[in-house]
Amino acid sequence: MDLIVAKFGGTSVGDGSRIKKAAQSVVNEYMKGNQVVVVVSAVNKTTDELIGLSDEAIGAGLTDKQKAEIMAMGELTSARLFSATIESLGVKSEFIDPYNDLWPIMTDSNSLEAKIDFKTTNIKIEGIKRLVNQGIIPVVCGFLGKGPSGEITTLGRGGSDITAFLIGHCLEANEVIIVTDVDGVMSTDPNKIESARLLDEISVEEMRDLATHGAQVLHPHALKYKDPLISAKIINFAHGDLTSKGTRIVGPYEGEMLKCVSLYKNPISLIAIVGEAMVKKVGLFAGLTGCLADEDINIFGISAGQNSMTAFVDKSDSNKAYHLLHQFVVENDVLSSLSLGRDTAMITFVSPDIIDTPGIISDITEPLRKNDINIVEIISSQTAIVLFVDWKDGEQARDLVNEVLE
Ligand code: ADP
Ligand code: ASP
Ligand code: MG
């Protein structure tokens, strides 16, 4: 017997026949002897419509608290509809909304981007567990939370995905299934490029990065709660079948944590190339990476300024890379000179929180400043910060950055 959390997005409950099809797919799993918890989003574009209505009626005077209460009506309605449809198919069901005593998801008081109180939620989940053990199918409102004064909060647009993974984690479910309007995760948004191909699987890390950079198919914060032992997949509602294949989200594997700090084992050499107005010249990056790739030299990072580009390579490759890039410089009119810099230590800080934690870069660099450690280069993206410091400072810098993570 498996415990499954199935989340239905807006399109998958977009009209009466879709709701019936979705409820039937849940009942089918239940009849096989599995336990199912449903998480449901607002029907179709209801959330957008509610926002539109309140903008028209009230405009700037609308408070965040009022907006959350109004948006919540989407999920309050869909959970009732879904639960009643399951009952019409002959199986007991209860809708669970923030007004219900069994509601588990507690948050801070931020109405529109509420932060989850994981500890309390993990305790309150017992109520849902009890229902499931009584053979009842709970239908939980996605997207919503309950603040410290009992008020409704929301987890941010697209937040039902977070609800699903959070509940899956707290219930120690076997599987989280995200039911949506595409076959799974594709090589890109299929609504933008028609020839997009379906992926059989994607790692948690890749999915998190894809989502963080705007692929709507899953909320970027949902995977924070992905337990390595829970299997997860994204499938199309059109199949009306929770066993459909779709795309499996795999990992994180043991030892491959979502948040980590690491020090690369060898020194990294910085090779800087300078030239006049390089930023305006087409193809310089391609030239640089091409000539190193031809000789099988791995590039750990590249940074660029108006008049310079720097390539980061393993010290064992640095001499070869230096000579190859020298050839590249003399053959290129725009480029004038290059230098092989000192040996640096590369420290990588990976965390899904980078994108929405103001001041995280200063949190990391401040302890280094206090300890007189000079940062030679810093490269940051939405989920990783890579620091280069003098090789001799590497271990101390790694330990200092590690303290920030803890
Ligand atoms: P739901 O309402 O079910 O949560 P969303 O609209 O939030 O659905 O997410 C599904 C949409 O994500 C798809 O319709 C598609 O346009 C978009 N999308 C963006 N990038 C991708 C991708 N790489 N693979 C699949 N879908 C993607
Ligand atoms: N209904 C909410 C929204 O449209 C949450 C969700 O669909 O996940 O943002
Ligand atoms: Mg969504």
Side-chain angles (χ1 to χ4, degrees):
M1 180 178 70
D2 278 347
L3 172 54
I4 300 167
V5 176
K7 176 252 166 176
F8 292 86
T11 323
S12 34
V13 289
D15 60 34
S17 71
R18 287 183 186 180
I19 297 174
K20 190 165 178 188
K21 191 171 183 166
Q24 186 67 60
S25 70
V26 168
V27 167
N28 291 346
E29 289 314 302
Y30 179 90
M31 291 303 184
K32 286 182 203 164
N34 294 316
Q35 296 178 317
V36 193
V37 175
V38 174
V39 172
V40 68
S41 296
V43 166
N44 264 329
K45 304 269 172 224
T46 306
T47 315
D48 290 330
E49 287 160 14
L50 292 168
I51 295 172
L53 278 173
S54 43
D55 278 349
E56 258 177 56
I58 308 141
L62 186 72
T63 66
D64 286 356
K65 192 163 179 283
Q66 289 168 331
K67 189 171 178 181
E69 294 279 358
I70 292 167
M71 283 197 291
M73 295 312 295
E75 273 74 11
L76 293 177
T77 308
S78 61
R80 284 160 169 76
L81 264 167
F82 204 113
S83 179
T85 313
I86 292 177
E87 295 232 300
S88 77
L89 297 171
V91 177
K92 275 197 192 154
S93 171
E94 262 186 47
F95 61 85
I96 308 290
D97 66 27
Y99 300 117
N100 189 307
D101 286 343
L102 299 183
W103 178 257
I105 299 169
M106 308 309 284
T107 70
D108 67 3
S109 59
N110 186 336
S111 299
L112 301 182
E113 294 277 343
K115 210 167 159 205
I116 290 159
D117 174 352
F118 179 76
K119 239 172 148 180
T120 317
T121 304
N122 206 22
I123 296 169
K124 291 209 163 235
I125 205 74
E126 280 306 314
I128 301 231
K129 233 180 235 174
R130 240 178 292 127
L131 281 188
V132 170
N133 288 334
Q134 288 164 20
I136 296 169
I137 300 180
V139 179
V140 182
C141 298
F143 179 52
L144 306 184
K146 189 169 177 173
S149 325
E151 78 277 24
I152 286 198
T153 59
T154 62
L155 307 179
R157 295 303 308 271
S160 300
D161 298 328
I162 307 177
T163 315
F165 277 94
L166 174 65
I167 288 191
H169 186 115
C170 295
L171 285 174
E172 295 172 29
N174 302 88
E175 187 167 31
V176 174
I177 305 174
I178 302 292
V179 187
T180 185
D181 59 355
V182 284
D183 283 339
V185 184
M186 326 269 293
S187 48
T188 188
D189 186 341
N191 291 317
K192 294 196 175 134
I193 298 185
E194 230 176 86
S195 59
R197 285 199 349 231
L198 178 66
L199 309 180
D200 287 338
E201 64 174 44
I202 188 164
S203 71
V204 163
E205 288 74 18
E206 288 172 295
M207 186 66 241
R208 188 195 61 205
D209 282 351
L210 200 63
T212 307
H213 289 93
Q216 205 186 344
V217 64
L218 195 70
H219 193 291
H221 290 176
L223 292 172
K224 270 190 196 174
Y225 300 103
K226 162 79 171 70
D227 189 286
L229 297 176
I230 297 181
S231 52
K233 66 179 177 185
I234 300 183
I235 62 171
N236 198 327
F237 76 89
H239 305 302
D241 179 1
L242 292 179
T243 65
S244 311
K245 258 183 82 195
T247 303
R248 233 160 233 296
I249 304 173
V250 294
Y253 298 110
E254 218 179 319
E256 192 182 279
M257 290 184 322
L258 282 179
K259 286 185 180 186
C260 64
V261 175
S262 60
L263 170 65
Y264 182 63
K265 60 183 191 305
N266 297 332
I268 296 281
S269 305
L270 273 56
I271 306 175
I273 298 177
V274 297
E276 185 65 19
M278 283 168 64
V279 77
K280 294 194 185 129
K281 169 86 175 161
V282 174
L284 286 181
F285 268 125
L288 180 150
T289 54
C291 78
L292 297 182
D294 287 346
E295 294 293 323
D296 246 7
I297 294 176
N298 188 30
I299 303 173
F300 285 80
I302 294 186
S303 67
Q306 294 285 323
N307 301 307
S308 70
M309 286 193 299
T310 308
F312 303 71
V313 298
D314 191 306
K315 184 177 167 63
S316 59
D317 287 330
S318 63
N319 240 322
K320 197 167 167 195
Y322 182 46
H323 283 89
L324 287 165
L325 290 177
H326 178 252
Q327 200 52 36
F328 174 59
V329 167
V330 294
E331 283 169 6
N332 202 310
D333 290 349
V334 196
L335 306 175
S336 49
S337 179
L338 84 167
S339 74
L340 175 58
R342 56 186 164 203
D343 294 345
T344 63
M346 178 171 79
I347 294 136
T348 308
F349 175 96
V350 178
S351 165
D353 301 336
I354 292 173
I355 184 176
D356 57 4
T357 311
I360 192 159
I361 294 195
S362 65
D363 288 348
I364 289 172
T365 55
E366 188 58 16
L368 302 190
R369 183 189 70 78
K370 281 192 182 139
N371 284 277
D372 238 5
I373 296 177
N374 184 39
I375 298 170
V376 180
E377 283 268 2
I378 182 164
I379 303 178
S380 80
S381 70
Q382 302 197 24
T383 51
I385 297 169
V386 188
L387 298 164
F388 296 87
V389 299
D390 274 340
W391 176 246
K392 67 170 174 42
D393 294 331
E395 287 186 1
Q396 192 191 0
R398 178 208 44 210
D399 294 346
L400 289 167
V401 174
N402 216 2
E403 280 172 26
V404 176
L405 192 68
E406 286 158 2

